Amino acid sequence: MSLLIRRVRTPENPEQDTDILIEDGTISAVGADLDAPGAQVLDGTGLMAAPGLLDMHVHFREPGFEYKETIETGCEAAARGGVTAVACMANTDPVIDTPEMVELVLEKAGNANGVHVLPVAAVTCGQKGKELTDAAALREAGAVALSDDGVPLQNAALMRQALLQSDGLPILCHCEDADMVGDTAVNEGKVSEKLGMPGRPAVAEEVMAMRDAMLAEETGGHVHICHVSTARTVEIVRQYKKKGVNITCETCPHYFTLTEEALLELDSMAKVNPPLRTEEDMRAVAAGLADGTIDAIVTDHAPHSAEEKAKPLAEAPSGISGLETSLAIALTELYHSGIMTLKQVLDAMTVNPARVLNLPEPALKAGCRGDVVLFDPDEEWTVDPGEFASKGKNTPFAGLEVKGRVHGTVADGKVLYRYKI
Ligand code: DOR
Ligand code: ZN
């Protein structure tokens, strides 16, 4: 089976039409006017092509919370967002903490649409923060990283030990000191005061980011800080990278787009952990992306049901359904605003996360996997969660006008999603 994508442009070659031929799942040729008798043809005239996006932080909820999302619906959402590979977090029920559970995720993924699902396994058994999982066995089964994401790993001794025996896997750290954040819902500051609620202070994230940076330095293990949300966390990573420490990090569209003020208008739709912060933090996160301190843009796709999100702010679960808006928001907020080049934005959603996860570098080159996203960087549209394939309609971006639209998603040469092409 072969697929010929015709007349696309690329960020490297924006002035000239290029064809991409994918044969047996692999890109076999890239160039002008390729000939491929019998191939399925996708006309990409007027569109930009890039390697399929890799979102290294999503929650697909299966097993245990299928009413929020299944691996199948999550993969559909990914395809609509131009995402061809996802790293799936372990906070399911049961937790992904054994080789058998990793295999189960891979088996379910095999029945989905063809998006590549990369399981993340827990650092501690049951994410209980007491006993380490078996990194080597989990890696052998197919885990690409270890993480207790959703539940901060409070015990520093255990974190240190985890880094020493991670078997080369990165540890994706949810940095929030549990004692400092307690059961609160919003950033500690102006908005928590206005709402009369206790808050999650920025320093709760920063002390743990600092702890994990120091442990990465001391052990040589790979710390990857999840969903960076504060200016000082960005600065910690910047300094530790300068020292040559094995540390990487990511952020999400909501942290470079929204501030804590969004809670006042959007209530639980803007409730997320770590919480939305201040204007200064938001700008520092964007600057961290622009100067390469922050490696990856991820969604932390965290679907919840409408009933759950309708609860009062203090009780509603945290999280944002992000897969179907991430590219558009990144393009709007970072590229069209002039903060980053198109190539920088795409690198943060493709080659950089691949590097963090020690995966082959995605590229539109012969020999690379046939994963491609086709998009119009300039097309304007309005976010409508009613159109999401995800079961989670929980987004603070409903009604937002964005610039940049996915028109085609191809994984292993198979067309998973097309819009007006
Ligand atoms: O807001 C969040 N939701 N942050 C997390 O770390 C976990 C996630 C979830 O699983 O819902
Ligand atoms: Zn998460």
Side-chain angles (χ1 to χ4, degrees):
M1 214 11 233
S2 42
L3 175 72
L4 181 62
I5 305 174
R6 278 224 181 275
R7 289 184 286 274
V8 289
R9 309 244 162 141
T10 61
E12 293 82 7
N13 203 354
E15 304 300 330
Q16 206 187 338
D17 286 344
T18 309
D19 294 352
I20 302 167
L21 179 61
I22 304 172
E23 291 177 296
D24 300 322
T26 302
I27 298 177
S28 56
V30 178
D33 300 319
L34 297 179
D35 208 19
Q40 181 189 355
V41 174
L42 210 53
D43 182 5
T45 304
L47 298 176
M48 194 67 87
L53 307 180
L54 163 56
D55 185 342
M56 63 169 290
H57 188 155
V58 306
H59 297 267
F60 278 180
R61 311 301 193 197
E62 189 175 358
F65 305 99
E66 287 84 353
Y67 68 95
K68 294 180 197 260
E69 193 84 293
T70 62
I71 290 175
E72 195 183 337
T73 57
C75 286
E76 289 299 331
R80 289 179 63 98
V83 173
T84 55
V86 291
C88 247
M89 285 298 180
N91 63 340
T92 50
D93 184 17
V95 168
I96 314 300
D97 59 1
T98 62
E100 292 71 32
M101 289 302 297
V102 171
E103 281 155 17
L104 178 79
V105 170
L106 289 171
E107 189 189 311
K108 300 248 181 212
N111 299 324
N113 60 357
V115 164
H116 307 285
V117 175
L118 312 166
V120 176
V123 184
T124 67
C125 300
Q127 294 191 305
K128 290 189 170 29
K130 297 268 188 284
E131 191 192 332
L132 294 180
T133 54
D134 183 343
L138 291 164
R139 182 192 175 111
E140 186 70 20
V144 295
L146 300 173
S147 183
D148 277 2
D149 178 67
V151 187
L153 178 43
Q154 200 62 17
N155 182 327
L158 210 56
M159 179 62 190
R160 179 170 182 245
Q161 204 51 42
L163 283 163
L164 289 170
Q165 54 190 68
S166 58
D167 202 42
L169 292 175
I171 300 188
L172 320 180
C173 307
H174 182 134
C175 291
E176 281 193 296
D177 182 278
D179 296 315
M180 257 192 263
V181 298
D183 196 19
T184 57
V186 302
N187 184 43
E188 183 180 291
K190 270 199 299 202
V191 171
S192 67
E193 261 167 49
K194 211 175 261 181
L195 294 171
M197 289 176 135
R200 303 168 93 88
V203 73
E205 173 177 318
E206 293 149 357
V207 287
M208 201 176 262
M210 187 56 132
R211 179 199 81 176
D212 290 348
M214 291 175 88
L215 290 174
E217 181 175 31
E218 194 247 356
T219 62
H222 180 176
V223 159
H224 174 84
I225 298 187
C226 289
H227 35 54
V228 168
S229 74
T230 88
R232 194 146 57 164
T233 306
V234 176
E235 192 48 35
I236 290 166
V237 176
R238 188 176 283 126
Q239 294 310 326
Y240 274 77
K241 277 190 166 181
K242 245 185 223 158
K243 292 209 250 178
V245 172
N246 197 0
I247 187 167
T248 54
C249 71
E250 60 179 42
T251 193
C252 316
H254 37 277
Y255 299 118
F256 56 76
T257 309
L258 301 171
T259 70
E260 55 185 346
E261 303 277 334
L263 268 294
L264 298 172
E265 193 190 327
L266 299 167
D267 200 61
S268 73
M269 282 304 177
K271 179 178 175 184
V272 62
N273 293 339
L276 301 175
R277 308 284 189 186
T278 65
E279 174 100 24
E280 186 201 337
D281 293 310
M282 187 181 77
R283 288 187 196 286
V285 166
L289 276 165
D291 76 6
T293 299
I294 302 179
D295 301 85
I297 298 171
V298 305
T299 58
D300 193 9
H301 179 75
H304 294 292
S305 72
E307 294 72 30
E308 290 169 314
K309 275 293 194 182
K311 290 181 184 169
L313 185 57
E315 290 150 44
S318 297
I320 290 170
S321 179
L323 272 167
E324 289 162 84
T325 51
S326 57
L327 179 62
I329 291 171
L331 292 174
T332 307
E333 298 287 333
L334 301 171
Y335 165 58
H336 290 299
S337 68
I339 294 174
M340 291 168 83
T341 64
L342 183 56
K343 178 156 181 345
Q344 277 183 305
V345 172
L346 293 169
D347 281 355
M349 303 179 87
T350 55
V351 293
N352 297 356
R355 212 170 286 143
V356 172
L357 295 176
N358 306 306
L359 301 171
E361 186 160 312
L364 298 181
K365 279 190 199 145
C368 291
R369 200 158 68 179
D371 295 354
V372 183
V373 57
L374 304 177
F375 63 101
D376 178 347
D378 298 313
E379 185 172 331
E380 295 181 14
W381 59 287
T382 304
V383 175
D384 174 6
E387 288 176 359
F388 283 3
S390 171
K391 289 190 185 185
K393 315 296 180 195
N394 48 303
T395 173
F397 297 118
L400 187 74
E401 285 173 24
V402 288
K403 197 169 175 183
R405 178 150 205 158
V406 175
H407 279 262
T409 306
V410 173
D412 293 325
K414 181 179 157 208
V415 182
L416 306 187
Y417 172 69
R418 57 202 293 179
Y419 172 72
K420 292 190 181 167
I421 59 166

